Amino acid sequence: MIPQTPRGFRDVLPQEAAWREDIREAVQDCFASWGYMPIETPALEVQDVMTAGGGDAGHFLSLFDIDGKLLTLRPDVTLPIARMVASRLGDDQGPFRFRYCEQVFREEASLRAQSRVNTQLGIESIGLSGSGADAEVIALFMDALEACGLEEYTVAIASVEVLRSLIAAAGMDQSWNAKLLQAYHSSNLVELGELVHLSDIDPAYASALLKLPRIRGGKEAIESCSQLLAKLPGRKGAQDPCASLLATWKILDATGYSKHLVVDWGVMSSFDYYTGLVMEAYAPALGASLGSGGRYDQMLEAYGRDLPAAGFAFSLERVMQALVEQDKRVQMRRVHRIDASGDTIAMFREAKRLRGEGLRVALDYAAPKGGKGGRDGR
Amino acid sequence: MDDRPLRIAGPKGSLYPESVELLGMAGLDVSGLADPGRQLRISAGDVEYIIVRPSDAPIFVAYGGADCGLCGKDSVQEAGLPVVEMVDLGFGACRFVVAEPECSCYSAQESYRNLGVLRVATKYPNITKDYYDSKGMQVEIVKLAGNIELAPLIGMADVIVDITATGTTLRENHLEIVDDVMESTARFVANPASLRVDPRVGELAESLAAAALKRGRSAPIAGSDQPGIK
């Protein structure tokens, strides 16, 4: 037998584990400084409970327990927290601010070189809504990425309300709407173009639907989206779905958070269960997003609670990859070695004193072979 | 952050000449692509080309090995990976069809009725599975790497799902087309993260779309006799 780990799982050796620990602690301190409380949920959940909340069972890593019950390894932490709020917190209206750092699991086909476990750092803000609450979630996402030591990153934001109201106002049938959303969700701009061109949709709506995913920039990207919608026939006097994003932007801009922020109406392509704000974070040369989040006010309804909710999660592994790309590998804290092979009691005492000063100290009980030095646990 | 070259995956094989032509029309330096020899990475100023098999292009792009790439819709569909389909480039038109032996003594439908399962030979198991799933038919898929036409002729499969540009190879092997699965043309695809952080990806998409439109006007694509994807 060759003692291997299962495909997509691996051991983390001390040097990397120590680095991971440093980042986790820095991020948790950052979350805590905004008043978020730690929370832990079980590694295993009942599969039906996760799918009821909108989880995609196609990527669940599931198993049967001895009772024949179908369980799944936690696919994310948002669904378990929603379940917990509904089942454990009674009628408490909150607001709740939770933070976590957990492994999440995702089934992947073989031959794709993908890990089946990821470490997610994230928060949930439950019972809060409005542009202040949205701005808080975005600002905290950026603070957390900075706490990791990242200097180059981008957080792209948008709001799904825009696409929803565009589709609703276009007045097409259900099956066309579903296909259009599908094209958006799978980022298929070719399909999007075909759907729009082959339909009898009002040309003004057609051009708006094709323009929307290509609008990108700062505050002006929100304004050009507002103008795009205002010009549409039959939308006079209708509520501007960009208004709340604009208010959020103003808070962030006034408090120094706009440097790494872009508005990108193509971002909503990645989402389907969000109800308002959506966001995604990127680092250069990574080839994948660092993490994502947004507002999902209807998710708790699946578990019988009616509370607004927003949050985000990002991957510790991806952040570390981005840090390596940016040459931001931190120096490990040194472990000092003391030769305690002679007067062990005295050296025990000395080590204790040094630890009291904040040093990391390990003792050697056998005389060092061939001069000084030796393994220092790194 | 733009000091790193934009990496573009280009398909070798029959899509290669038109891919190079379009990239050139889009304003990129393609002089190194004319005769790359055995080189797999070709540097040209602030872009770097990598030459890959068309079916591998979506894999390179989805996993961040390349920022963007050119390949057939069939490759994108078969890979089933998250890439952004940006532009239909118009060339390399071909279609996916279901074909079965034309001899009247044999009927795949009858075989399906008797056995409740159809044996399908193909190079494209995922596209084949999606197609039969959408029809609610149970199939056993045999994945082959080439000469698919042989499988039904020697009784190893009932039908084939394969790509065809003109139908000549199918006719020569006494197979007849019984259904259309999908149509395919070449696509410009992008890595979702590269698209968001690197403005050059979006700009290249715009230039390629304009180039494809220009080229399409001078050489109509629909029903043309352009070679398919092999």
Side-chain angles (χ1 to χ4, degrees):
Chain A
M1 185 190 68
I2 303 165
Q4 286 176 318
T5 58
R7 170 172 64 78
F9 290 87
R10 67 190 184 98
D11 303 310
V12 179
L13 297 182
Q15 187 171 357
E16 186 188 352
W19 189 24
R20 288 167 60 93
E21 183 181 68
D22 285 351
I23 297 176
R24 273 200 313 265
E25 281 173 8
V27 171
Q28 291 301 322
D29 283 350
C30 166
F31 290 162
S33 75
W34 283 72
Y36 285 70
M37 296 298 287
I39 199 160
E40 294 174 30
T41 67
L44 280 165
E45 293 275 350
V46 175
Q47 172 151 325
D48 289 348
V49 175
M50 294 296 102
T51 47
D56 172 12
H59 286 290
F60 285 0
L61 195 52
S62 302
L63 54 95
F64 286 105
D65 70 1
I66 202 167
D67 305 327
K69 198 140 186 137
L70 183 53
L71 305 180
T72 184
L73 282 157
R74 91 164 78 69
D76 67 15
V77 190
T78 302
L79 291 168
I81 287 180
R83 184 220 10 93
M84 183 210 67
V85 169
S87 62
R88 294 287 305 278
L89 300 178
D91 294 328
D92 193 341
Q93 296 297 306
F96 309 108
R97 287 182 167 92
F98 297 133
R99 62 180 157 96
Y100 59 83
C101 172
E102 299 278 14
Q103 288 189 316
V104 300
F105 303 88
R106 185 183 156 91
E107 187 57 296
E108 294 283 356
S110 54
L111 307 183
R112 289 197 160 179
Q114 297 294 295
S115 172
R116 295 204 272 184
V117 60
N118 231 294
T119 309
Q120 274 193 348
L121 290 151
I123 59 104
E124 298 293 333
S125 139
I126 298 165
L128 292 158
S129 59
S131 48
D134 282 359
E136 172 175 320
V137 171
I138 301 167
L140 182 48
F141 199 173
M142 298 172 111
D143 276 1
L145 293 174
E146 303 251 340
C148 298
L150 276 178
E151 281 169 18
E152 285 184 60
Y153 66 90
T154 307
V155 173
I157 59 168
S159 165
V160 299
E161 289 165 276
V162 172
L163 182 62
R164 293 241 165 87
S165 56
L166 246 179
I167 291 178
M172 303 294 286
D173 65 44
Q174 281 296 326
S175 91
W176 188 85
N177 291 352
K179 279 186 202 147
L180 191 91
L181 275 173
Q182 180 55 39
Y184 243 93
H185 294 159
S186 57
S187 295
N188 191 332
L189 301 180
V190 174
E191 170 92 16
L192 184 69
E194 278 171 11
L195 275 167
V196 169
H197 288 307
L198 297 177
S199 74
D200 52 359
I201 190 172
D202 185 316
Y205 280 92
S207 108
L209 280 168
L210 294 179
K211 261 187 209 149
L212 186 63
R214 294 176 171 89
I215 300 177
R216 191 170 190 280
K219 187 177 162 213
E220 76 284 357
I222 307 178
E223 287 158 352
S224 44
C225 182
S226 289
Q227 285 157 13
L228 190 73
L229 292 167
K231 272 190 260 164
L232 292 173
R235 278 198 53 86
K236 256 206 185 84
Q239 210 190 347
D240 180 3
C242 302
S244 100
L245 194 68
L246 187 63
T248 302
W249 177 277
K250 282 179 179 160
I251 296 171
L252 293 167
D253 192 34
T255 49
Y257 283 102
S258 55
K259 188 181 165 211
H260 294 275
L261 197 62
V262 297
V263 175
D264 186 337
W265 295 101
V267 163
M268 68 176 98
S269 57
S270 337
F271 306 105
D272 40 14
Y273 78 114
Y274 292 92
T275 53
L277 171 74
V278 285
M279 59 175 171
E280 201 146 359
Y282 303 96
L286 196 59
S289 81
L290 294 167
S292 61
R295 175 159 293 284
Y296 23 83
D297 286 344
Q298 269 142 37
M299 200 184 55
L300 271 98
E301 257 174 44
Y303 301 119
R305 286 299 305 269
D306 180 18
L307 281 175
F312 65 79
F314 63 91
S315 153
L316 176 60
E317 288 79 10
R318 296 246 177 95
V319 162
M320 290 173 70
Q321 240 177 302
L323 288 167
V324 171
E325 287 280 345
Q326 296 175 21
D327 285 326
K328 290 284 175 334
R329 255 212 107 120
V330 287
Q331 205 55 52
M332 286 312 118
R333 280 180 64 186
R334 191 169 160 214
V335 175
H336 299 266
R337 317 287 314 208
I338 292 183
D339 177 8
S341 58
D343 187 347
T344 307
I345 292 174
M347 289 303 115
F348 242 74
R349 199 173 283 130
E350 174 63 3
K352 188 177 176 186
R353 186 186 68 77
L354 291 169
R355 289 187 196 109
E357 290 176 7
L359 296 181
R360 295 182 175 187
V361 184
L363 294 165
D364 291 321
Y365 304 107
K369 285 176 204 148
K372 52 183 192 169
R375 295 170 38 136
D376 60 359
R378 294 195 278 150
Chain B
M1 67 198 208
D2 284 357
D3 46 4
R4 131 184 197 283
L6 181 73
R7 195 176 289 155
I8 306 171
K12 65 179 185 187
S14 65
L15 293 176
Y16 189 75
E18 280 131 316
S19 299
V20 174
E21 187 193 337
L22 269 190
L23 286 167
M25 285 171 74
L28 295 185
D29 174 8
V30 291
S31 51
L33 291 176
D35 184 20
R38 291 191 181 184
Q39 272 188 97
L40 298 175
R41 294 171 70 166
I42 294 131
S43 234
D46 70 340
V47 302
E48 180 184 58
Y49 302 102
I50 57 169
I51 301 179
V52 302
R53 280 181 68 131
S55 56
D56 289 342
I59 301 171
F60 279 93
V61 173
Y63 292 159
D67 297 296
C68 52
L70 293 83
C71 62
K73 165 74 182 166
D74 56 316
S75 300
V76 178
Q77 189 88 7
E78 182 61 29
L81 292 169
V83 296
V84 185
E85 264 183 61
M86 304 280 297
V87 185
D88 182 347
L89 299 172
F91 65 89
C94 60
R95 55 183 186 137
F96 270 84
V97 295
V98 183
E100 61 179 55
E102 51 192 26
C103 97
S104 57
C105 54
Y106 175 84
S107 159
Q109 277 305 322
E110 199 177 308
S111 161
Y112 180 64
R113 265 196 304 279
N114 290 339
L115 298 170
V117 59
L118 196 68
R119 293 170 308 157
V120 190
T122 187
K123 268 203 281 193
Y124 303 87
N126 293 330
I127 291 175
T128 302
K129 185 174 180 303
D130 288 348
Y131 167 77
Y132 283 105
D133 279 353
S134 75
K135 306 197 84 164
M137 278 175 78
Q138 191 168 351
V139 291
E140 268 168 23
I141 297 168
V142 185
K143 185 181 189 278
L144 298 176
N147 294 357
I148 315 294
E149 300 82 5
L150 207 50
L153 299 177
I154 56 171
M156 210 175 81
D158 300 310
V159 300
I160 65 169
V161 168
D162 205 9
I163 208 159
T164 180
T166 58
T168 315
T169 317
L170 293 175
R171 268 193 305 278
E172 281 171 1
N173 286 291
H174 308 289
L175 294 169
E176 63 177 347
I177 295 170
V178 292
D179 201 3
D180 277 298
V181 176
M182 64 179 269
E183 286 180 1
S184 172
T185 45
R187 299 289 145 97
F188 176 63
V189 298
N191 175 284
S194 296
L195 174 63
R196 306 269 176 252
V197 295
D198 194 332
R200 292 176 297 181
V201 177
E203 287 158 18
L204 181 56
E206 298 291 328
S207 327
L208 281 171
L213 199 66
K214 199 168 152 202
R215 195 176 169 282
R217 275 201 211 103
S218 53
I221 294 127
S224 79
D225 55 359
Q226 291 180 53
I229 303 151
K230 282 273 151 26

